[in-house]
Amino acid sequence: MNWVAAALIALVLGTSHYLDWPSEFEAAQDAAAAYRAARTEQERQQRFEAAVQAMCGENAGWKLLADGSVQCYTHRGFKTKKVTL
């Protein structure tokens, strides 16, 4: 009986390194999901900036205001129009 218990303990200890696999796999999946989310957010920000630049004009500057609207400026710094997307 002692040999059976010893063999069972040896089996458990010998295969215990496999027990950590799902957490490493889930961590890799979480990292990939975080990368996709960051990439999607960056693409969304680039689309927003391109839309604002098209509305304000090619050479115009712009500033995002606290209320969510955009203040357009001339290249000399004068306010031209306030737009909302």
Side-chain angles (χ1 to χ4, degrees):
M1 188 67 176
N2 289 336
W3 288 102
V4 173
L8 192 59
I9 290 173
L11 180 66
V12 168
L13 291 177
T15 58
S16 64
H17 63 280
Y18 292 120
L19 298 176
D20 196 30
W21 177 77
S23 63
E24 290 176 5
F25 182 69
E26 289 171 359
Q29 284 183 331
D30 291 343
Y35 172 75
R36 283 191 301 273
R39 187 180 62 201
T40 303
E41 178 63 26
Q42 183 180 15
E43 290 170 353
R44 188 202 61 79
Q45 182 67 26
Q46 288 174 346
R47 283 192 307 271
F48 173 78
E49 291 175 1
V52 169
Q53 193 67 51
M55 287 189 338
C56 289
E58 186 177 330
N59 292 326
W62 57 273
K63 179 181 177 183
L64 184 62
L65 302 176
D67 63 354
S69 60
V70 176
Q71 177 68 55
C72 298
Y73 294 95
T74 63
H75 64 280
R76 297 187 191 271
F78 299 112
K79 293 180 181 178
T80 56
K81 60 184 172 180
K82 188 175 180 182
V83 295
T84 304
L85 291 176

